[in-house]
Amino acid sequence: MSEETPTNSQTKIIAVANQKGGVGKTTTVINLAANLATSEKRTLIVDLDPQCNASSGLGFEPTEEPTLLEVLLEESDDPTLLPFETIPGLEVITGSPDLVGAEKLLPEGKKDPLKAVDRMLNRLQSRVDPYDFIFLDCPPSLGMLTLNAFTAATDLMIPVQAEYFALEGLTSIMESLEVAQTRMNKGLNLYGILITMMDLRTNLSRQVESEIRKHYGKKVFKTTIPRNVRLSEAPSHALPVTLYDFWSNGAKAYMELTKEIMRNGS
């Protein structure tokens, strides 16, 4: 986070981002956060996407008073009004459709527009018990909200679909990471690249995985996430996949990813 001194420097603040939509970004946020919470890690999701998919995927409507945008603009000063508990140990700050106005309204304020999320998290962390993990679910773009997430985060996780254009998209977001490290947040680390929507029945998926691992090596998580119907169905039931279908391949993959993160001491 910024030099405004967060109350708990041990908190992992992970921006989950890819400028391409449909790569499993929100699915990863919901399921990884839920698994960490059940592993007794106090966890928060911040839904920065105006589409509010992380919120609806956990059964919440966008908060109306105050909205997340109002808190980011500091029109409402108390961010503790926002978090809702989902399962024990997991809370969510719901998104709001008015976040589409962030591009215009944040720069009009008197404070640094790229540190609005950072300021909110500092205010929140000073008033509640510290979180072990905070996940920032970013919009599928590299606009104001995603740049805010890059500024506030300690780490960046990049989900990437096992498809033909994956490397092209990865190159773009890796360049954005370098810019963020140079200009906004020197402490921002690459948490890892997560290959999603793997279909082991196709040569294409295996070839894409091989190319990504060849180019990025240890920066790629060992765990991959398969294409799985249960993963797609779970949000419509407002449940993480481990609660919707514990024995599904999707649930097993996210549990393995959680174990990989815990083994690495992250």
Side-chain angles (χ1 to χ4, degrees):
M1 293 178 76
S2 74
E3 295 179 0
E4 293 182 17
T5 314
T7 54
N8 180 19
S9 60
Q10 301 304 309
T11 303
K12 275 260 183 223
I13 304 172
I14 303 170
V16 182
N18 191 320
Q19 73 274 23
K20 188 177 185 303
V23 298
K25 177 177 54 62
T26 299
T27 298
T28 295
V29 167
I30 290 173
N31 290 294
L32 183 53
N35 287 353
L36 288 166
T38 57
S39 300
E40 300 185 348
K41 299 291 184 182
R42 190 162 187 265
T43 305
L44 172 71
I45 293 172
V46 182
D47 188 353
L48 292 174
D49 191 340
Q51 297 178 76
C52 309
N53 289 335
S55 307
S56 61
L58 288 167
F60 293 100
E61 297 292 330
T63 307
E64 295 183 0
E65 295 183 2
T67 68
L68 177 53
L69 180 61
E70 288 170 343
V71 172
L72 293 177
L73 294 172
E74 299 185 36
E75 294 174 359
S76 174
D77 185 53
D78 188 358
T80 60
L81 295 172
L82 290 181
F84 295 94
E85 185 171 70
T86 59
I87 60 176
L90 175 61
E91 296 179 349
V92 58
I93 292 180
T94 60
S96 53
D98 64 353
L99 283 169
V100 295
E103 296 291 329
K104 178 177 184 293
L105 295 175
L106 286 175
E108 291 178 354
K110 296 179 181 179
K111 297 180 180 179
D112 186 341
L114 294 180
K115 292 186 176 180
V117 170
D118 193 39
R119 291 191 294 269
M120 178 193 73
L121 292 180
N122 277 315
R123 297 198 308 276
L124 177 63
Q125 291 266 73
S126 70
R127 301 178 191 187
V128 299
D129 293 336
Y131 295 98
D132 297 301
F133 288 88
I134 297 176
F135 287 90
L136 307 177
D137 189 26
C138 300
S141 68
L142 293 174
M144 182 63 66
L145 291 167
T146 299
L147 293 177
N148 255 272
F150 284 10
T151 303
T154 59
D155 298 89
L156 171 64
M157 176 183 280
I158 307 171
V160 57
Q161 187 176 349
E163 63 166 22
Y164 182 73
F165 293 110
L167 284 172
E168 183 179 314
L170 261 178
T171 299
S172 177
I173 197 164
M174 292 296 282
E175 289 172 352
S176 300
L177 171 60
E178 291 177 7
V179 171
Q181 290 169 328
T182 302
R183 300 184 181 180
M184 298 181 293
N185 184 354
K186 293 180 180 179
L188 181 61
N189 300 305
L190 177 60
Y191 199 57
I193 297 165
L194 177 66
I195 302 173
T196 64
M197 303 186 186
M198 278 286 295
D199 187 345
L200 293 175
R201 297 170 300 177
T202 67
N203 289 330
L204 177 61
S205 278
R206 291 193 293 270
Q207 289 168 357
V208 169
E209 179 185 11
S210 176
E211 285 296 307
I212 292 173
R213 293 193 186 280
K214 184 170 74 174
H215 280 80
Y216 296 100
K218 293 182 179 180
K219 296 175 182 177
V220 185
F221 286 104
K222 293 179 180 178
T223 306
T224 61
I225 307 300
R227 286 192 178 275
N228 182 247
V229 172
R230 295 305 197 195
L231 278 176
S232 302
E233 292 174 346
S236 66
H237 296 267
L239 290 171
V241 69
T242 47
L243 295 182
Y244 177 62
D245 187 347
F246 183 83
W247 300 108
S248 67
N249 288 334
K252 292 175 183 177
Y254 276 109
M255 285 188 285
E256 189 56 42
L257 177 63
T258 307
K259 291 176 184 176
E260 183 177 345
I261 286 172
M262 301 283 276
R263 281 197 303 267
N264 292 340
S266 302

